[in-house]
Each structure stands twice: as structure tokens, then as C-alpha cells.
Amino acid sequence: MMRFNINKSWRVSILARVTVLLSCLVLLTAGIVSAQNTNKLTSVKAIQQAAPASIVFEMEQPVGYRYTVYDSDDPIRIVIDFPAMDVSAIDDLIRVDKLPVEMVKVSSFDLESGKLGRVEVVMTQKSPYEIELPNNQFVLNFQGNGAAPSAEV
């Protein structure tokens, strides 16, 4: 029967090399993934023709379904959160004054999970809206005359 005698320093050396290699691989992969997921808001435009206003947000890459939208009543506004979105190229406050939109506020938060871009569309009154995602755009289309239906008690 043949026995192999491997000294401890050789085993430690191999273990150290494998550990360093795996650590480098994890760090490299994390850097690539975070770089690929970052998007950038490049412009905000308000459009109003005969119909109520539309707000068009241009991005470097398509947003897909990586966003959260919620409405608020005090003040009346629509809040849109975009994970991994850089909004630094946009002014913090954009005056719109096209019914039913008064202004657009843009802010950014650095969270443990990464950068979060927030857009607040401040409204003059409640108005139904739809979201469209053509190409590299996120579009809020407001409908009707902007008057919210009133509920009778």
C-alpha cells in the first residue's frame, strides 16, 4: 500500500490560493452586476396639447418594470421610485404648470441596496393617469379633464 505524505504548508497554500481566487471572483461579479443595473434619468418633458398633460421621463436604458408608483393626498402627488437610478443630471425642481401638473421634484437616496431615484409629480388636483413604457421612456399620461370624481355620502 502506497501512502502520500502531503505536508501541511502545501495544503494551507492551496487553501489560501483558492480562498483569494474565490474572493476576487465574487468582488468582480458584484461590480459587474451593479454597473449593469445602474440607469440614468436624462430629461423630463411636459407635453400638453388639446388633451391633458403628459410627463415624459427619458432614461439611458429602458426601465422595464423596475419602478414603484404610489399616490399621496397631502399634497396631491404621484411618487415614482426607480431603484438603481441616477437622477443627478436633472434639476431638483421643475416647474410645469400644465394642468393637472404643477411641478416635478427629483431626489436621490443612497441606500444599502444601492441608489434610489425618486420623482414626485405634484398635482393641482387629482387626475386619473396611465403609464406607458416606450423604448427608453417612462410616460405619465393624464386623462379626462383632470377633475376627480366626487363621492356622495
Side-chain angles (χ1 to χ4, degrees):
M1 181 189 238
M2 237 179 177
R3 288 187 170 182
F4 292 102
N5 189 5
I6 301 174
N7 62 29
K8 286 185 178 181
S9 65
W10 186 78
R11 279 187 268 164
V12 170
S13 175
I14 290 291
L15 182 59
R17 288 179 185 172
V18 168
T19 302
V20 168
L21 182 63
L22 287 175
S23 298
C24 290
L25 186 61
V26 166
L27 291 173
L28 179 65
T29 304
I32 290 171
V33 167
S34 67
Q36 288 177 343
N37 290 336
T38 302
N39 202 349
K40 187 172 188 175
L41 180 60
T42 57
S43 73
V44 177
K45 299 174 194 164
I47 301 168
Q48 186 172 29
Q49 296 170 349
S54 292
I55 307 294
V56 180
F57 303 95
E58 290 275 346
M59 321 293 187
E60 282 186 348
Q61 304 166 24
V63 174
Y65 293 97
R66 294 173 298 182
Y67 64 89
T68 304
V69 177
Y70 63 93
D71 300 341
S72 172
D73 289 331
D74 191 19
I76 301 170
R77 63 190 170 143
I78 301 167
V79 180
I80 310 158
D81 287 337
F82 296 103
M85 181 70 69
D86 178 10
V87 296
S88 62
I90 305 300
D91 291 337
D92 294 344
L93 180 65
I94 302 165
R95 181 89 39 215
V96 175
D97 292 326
K98 295 184 188 294
L99 289 176
V101 180
E102 181 180 342
M103 70 180 86
V104 175
K105 295 180 180 180
V106 179
S107 56
S108 181
F109 301 95
D110 290 320
L111 307 174
E112 285 186 26
S113 59
K115 192 175 281 277
L116 175 77
R118 174 168 286 174
V119 174
E120 298 176 56
V121 180
V122 180
M123 313 284 289
T124 56
Q125 59 191 16
K126 284 189 174 186
S127 179
Y129 61 90
E130 289 183 352
I131 295 172
E132 292 181 17
L133 302 168
N135 301 319
N136 293 359
Q137 296 178 334
F138 182 97
V139 182
L140 279 175
N141 289 317
F142 295 96
Q143 304 167 353
N145 61 5
S150 59
E152 293 185 16
V153 179

